[in-house]
Amino acid sequence: MTASTEVFEEVLVADQAEQDDRFYYASQWSLIWWRFRRHRVAMVSTSLLLLLYVLALLPGFFSPYLPGMRFESYQEAPPVRLYWFDQNPEGGGFIGPHYYGYEKTLNKETFKYEFAPILDNPIKLRLFAPGPEYTIVGDWTSTIHFFGTDVEEAPPFMLFGADRLGRDLLSRTLYGARISLTIGLIGVALSLIMGVILGGISGYFGGLIDEVVQRLIDFLISIPSIPLWMALSAALPRDWPVLKTYFAITIILSILGWTGLARVVRGKLLSLREEDYAMAAKAAGTGERRIIFKHLLPGFTSHLIVTITLMVPNMILAETALSFLGLGIQPPAVSWGTLLQDAQDIVAIAQHPHQLIPAAWVMAAVLLFNNVGDGLRDAADPYSDH
Amino acid sequence: MSDTGRGDLLLEVRNLQVHFYLFEGVVQAVNDVSFDVHRGRTLGIIGESGSGKSVSAQSVMGIVPSPPAKQLAGEIRLHRATPDGGIETVDLGRLDPRGQEYRDVRGGEIGMIFQEPMTSFSPLHTVGDQIGEAILLHIPDSTPQSARERTVDLLRRVGIPRPDRAVDAYPHELSGGMRQRAMIAMALSCDPALLIADEPTTALDVTIEAQILELIQELQDDLNMAIIYISHDLAVVGGVADEVMVMYLGLVMEHADAETIFDEPLHPYTRALWQSIPKIDGPLEQLVPISGNIPNPFAVHKGCPFYARCTERIQGVCDESPPPVLEPRQGHTVRCFLYADDVDLASNGATGD
Amino acid sequence: MVAYIVRRSVMLIPILLLISLVSFAIIELPPGDWVTYQIENLRASGIELNEDEAERLVKMYGFDQPAWKRYVRWMRGILFKFNFGWSFQWGKTVNELLGERLPLTLVISISALIVSWIIAIPIGIYSATHQYSVLDYIFTFFGFLGLTIPTFLLAMVLAWYIFKLTEFAPLGLFSIEYMDEPMSMEKFIDMLKHLVLPLIIIGLNGTGALIRVMRGNLLDELKKQYVITARAKGVNEMQLLFKYPVRMSMNPVISTIGWILPGIFSGEVLVSLVLGLQTTGPLLLRAVLAQDMFLAGSIVMILSVLTVIGTLLSDILLAALDPRIRYSAAAAR
């Protein structure tokens, strides 16, 4: 190396911005995080998703009523509107958030009940208002709700309307979120365990074991999932307690769920084994186990996380579908699927379209998870297009 | 470059400039490149990857991917034979690369051989189908039957055994060398006046490389074709070319006939290249690698792009303004300040500090 | 080619065996043996059944024998007599019930597959050849929606919306006025009107996936050397596109049949239920709810076998289109 090379290296270093340096020496996770942060849709979706989980974690606090509370004569009442300005023709002006009670009349031509707000009696709403007692966790209870009214004997404020039995759909949707949003996580956790074990075995040992596991996966993929889930959940006794049914359903869902993860694990193990750096580690005398945990596993945890994120929405959907069919979570337990049972026929939906509100929540959750998964996928792949 | 005594002038490229507009920035892939190609003669273009040698050739073919590439300036004049025996001139640079007129030239007057014989054929179609396609497109009055017969003849001519069977073979049924022969047959299928060979032997074994080179030269003698031969391999270019052009980062650094450029290279880059390869007939001396790497392709250079790696650079000159193209000898051009009269070499010193 | 088909078919045998085992497991799954359960049901609904008759039923279904014997019996019935068993709930043979429902399931599923191809392939080609154009973004977005929005929810929302807009209820196969009429042109058109929505909804899920596959593959193929070679021959761009890269990227699309078909059968169950189509979907639900397990197990088995056959057909199609697969199949022999 002559003097001129040194000069050249100086030039090189000077040429590269500091940012480049940061880029070259950053850990894999910081890289992923930087790239993810730039993905605006994914970032927004992540925040909204976290918000959803907060709601699902404290349904008692955020919902004004209990999911089982029935309001007589409010059956299938449409959503109650929130107002800021007094609607009374004589009153008027800004009076803060309030709503009006419903007057129920029977339309003599269509023989349908019609609900009209009673405009001369505004009922004011406020944050952290007292309401029915709910359980936070264990024996810890509270009566403070996120919003409510101090007015005694007020007509119910049902922002999403009421169901067939006059129960508040908003409260039921929030309580339903608890089951619907967690069943996906637990189902994926189960699938992950099965997938990593079976995929790992398959990819690590190869040979006959690999062949058997691969054929098993081929087989499971060829079974239409919904019919199989239906048949399996049919075997669950209807009188089981909610928690038992809940776990049985997650197990049923993971029976088919693990195959995708196993494929990812196996595929990555096989290709990474052939990578130069694994070879180099082997040539340097590193033990097999160390190669797997130290060198191979970090190579695909990012892919695993992506696969998992994209699997959760499928699990949520599967639970919704099963409960919708009456084969999953059984009433009186609430999940988004059981709520949608009210919306099974189109005539009913046409008359009470607010029954579709839980469907919007399902779609939102699914879309958000997919956005996050997509963002993660782009961020995790250093050679992706953008 | 004005030498017309070497043969009929076939192609004139003048001041070609092609830039790539990429997400990360602009790459000046080809900058102010000019050259001539004569019938029956071979122009060798030498350069490292990223030097713009392939893009120059692709520009002549009109197959530079656009976008991201854009031809900003330059003329590509093809003097082609007309059916009545005359010569007409078309500026290819002005034609629509996707239009009918350019497509007639492509595969007709100009044939091209690519580097990767493994991927150059579609795996779903037979070799005969893919060669015959070119014949049907360019040879007037050809029928599938006549195209097939011509394909068999071509395959025989490029030395593929049992051509009547190879014509129905799929590419994966042929070896790499055989595929490259088939590729040559395809490029030659319509008697091109110009053959562009873009690193045709890089992916092949050395023994097969020799056979392919021999075949190309043989075919050139038979057909009086002009050839543009692109390679990073100096020995190969030295073996086939009549004149040689050395490129670096989109610029032609030196251009002379093959003998001169190998015996008396002028540009420090050419000299460095020569020193970095072993010579069979020369004395045994130590090989000197060129220090450093090719600079970032997105970088814009105020001065000479080779400045950072040059052992004979003149500080304050070479890094300040672009070097001029000089012609120290008749027919020998070089882009370097070292041969400019008005630069006082002695006072600046020949090397950087 | 024949050898390839035979080899692929033989490879299916273990998978078919597994499917039959799982289906049988489904039949046996409900706690307690179902003959006793059915006998109780019959008695509860007031049908007099003496001990002899009950025992005859137990014998008839082999419940005095081990499970594997019942499996062999069931399989033998299917393979040699094409007899899937008896549905208690309907008092008919499973064959009869499937005969009524399966054709519509097949028509809807296969049409949905075709619809999704017809929509997805041109869009995929356009998106790949016009990458990052406005339409590409729009198509990619809708493809993403198709992938993520659950079919049965979409069915509910769209059916409601159509009903609200046009007062036309896209339910069932025929409008009420045509229900009992013999087939006529009007009735046929009415049927098509009823089929449009389910086909699009069931196909949509696969469409989103197919657009992604087609677009991604074509983008890869467009960068390949053979495209440049063909361009260097002077082939017209349009001809080039369809002769080389599009054909190449059809291969992965064809092989998606293997996983799109189960999705379509799954979606069909739910959508048929929401839209009131008399396919095997609602039949399965009723069978499952009533624990009419021969019927439920048979439907699961038939749908799975149909998927496997679909995969086999796609493999054969693939080999017919791609000489490399034929070649490696021949070499493997």
Side-chain angles (χ1 to χ4, degrees), chain A residues 216 218-219 221-228 230-232 234-235 238 317 320-321 324-327 340 343-344 346 349-350 353 356 359 362-363 366-367 370-371 374 377 385-386, chain C residues 15 18-19 22 26 29-31 131-132 144-145 148-150 152-154 156-157 159-160 163 171 212 262 265-266 269-270 273-275 284-285 288-289 291 300 303-304 307-308:
Chain A
L216 184 65
D218 282 350
F219 159 67
I221 285 175
S222 71
I223 297 184
S225 53
I226 301 257
L228 183 70
M230 283 167 71
L232 289 179
R238 294 280 176 279
L317 274 181
T320 309
F324 171 72
L325 296 176
L327 292 166
L340 285 173
Q344 258 190 8
I346 284 148
I349 302 173
L356 277 178
V362 177
M363 289 191 197
V366 168
L367 221 67
N370 274 298
N371 284 341
D374 260 23
R377 175 169 38 209
D385 262 353
H386 302 282
Chain C
I15 288 189
L18 269 176
I19 288 175
V22 167
I26 286 170
L29 206 54
Q131 200 186 3
Y132 304 136
F144 181 71
L145 283 188
T148 51
I149 290 188
F152 73 103
L153 291 183
L154 193 69
M156 276 159 53
V157 175
W160 166 62
F163 181 72
L171 296 175
R212 272 197 176 186
F265 281 132
S266 280
V269 172
L270 292 165
L273 211 73
V274 173
L275 298 182
L284 175 63
L285 180 66
V288 159
L289 286 173
Q291 301 212 326
V300 170
L303 292 183
S304 309
T307 317
V308 169

Side-chain angles (χ1 to χ4, degrees), chain C residues 18 43 45 53 56-57 66 71 77 92 100 138 143 159-160 173 176 193 207 209 214 220 242 246 263 285-286 289 317:
Chain C
L18 269 176
R43 281 185 178 146
S45 56
E53 277 173 316
R56 202 172 53 84
L57 265 178
Y71 169 73
K92 286 180 178 176
E100 289 164 13
I138 293 174
W160 166 62
L173 202 53
I176 302 162
K193 262 163 76 182
T207 309
M214 186 73 201
D220 284 349
F242 282 95
V246 167
L285 180 66
R286 288 182 63 176
L289 286 173
L317 193 59

Side-chain angles (χ1 to χ4, degrees), chain A residues 83-127:
Chain A
Y83 293 95
W84 295 85
F85 291 91
D86 193 356
Q87 301 295 305
N88 189 349
E90 279 119 63
F94 181 82
I95 56 166
H98 64 279
Y99 67 98
Y100 301 96
Y102 273 143
E103 190 176 32
K104 186 176 173 185
T105 49
L106 183 68
N107 185 323
K108 294 273 161 51
E109 276 168 37
T110 57
F111 288 99
K112 281 181 202 159
Y113 283 108
E114 284 173 358
F115 294 85
I118 312 160
L119 289 179
D120 44 42
N121 184 21
I123 302 157
K124 287 198 184 174
L125 285 163
R126 73 168 177 96
L127 291 179

Side-chain angles (χ1 to χ4, degrees), chain B residues 35-101:
Chain B
F35 57 85
D36 291 347
V37 182
H38 302 268
R39 285 179 207 275
R41 292 177 62 86
T42 303
L43 168 71
I45 306 182
I46 289 179
E48 292 168 81
S49 46
S51 62
K53 55 188 193 307
S54 291
V55 177
S56 304
Q58 285 167 8
S59 301
V60 174
M61 275 306 255
I63 55 170
V64 191
S66 169
K70 200 172 172 196
Q71 185 189 327
L72 297 173
E75 286 165 38
I76 305 167
R77 284 196 291 272
L78 178 72
H79 305 283
R80 64 169 170 196
T82 51
D84 53 24
I87 298 280
E88 63 166 349
T89 303
V90 267
D91 184 355
L92 296 179
R94 284 182 207 286
L95 298 181
D96 172 14
R98 298 184 164 217
Q100 178 70 44
E101 212 176 340

Side-chain angles (χ1 to χ4, degrees), chain C residues 65-81:
Chain C
Q65 286 170 332
W68 68 269
K69 278 199 173 165
R70 284 198 296 279
Y71 169 73
V72 171
R73 229 176 115 125
W74 184 58
M75 279 316 288
R76 205 191 280 153
I78 292 170
L79 291 176
F80 298 109
K81 295 188 211 133

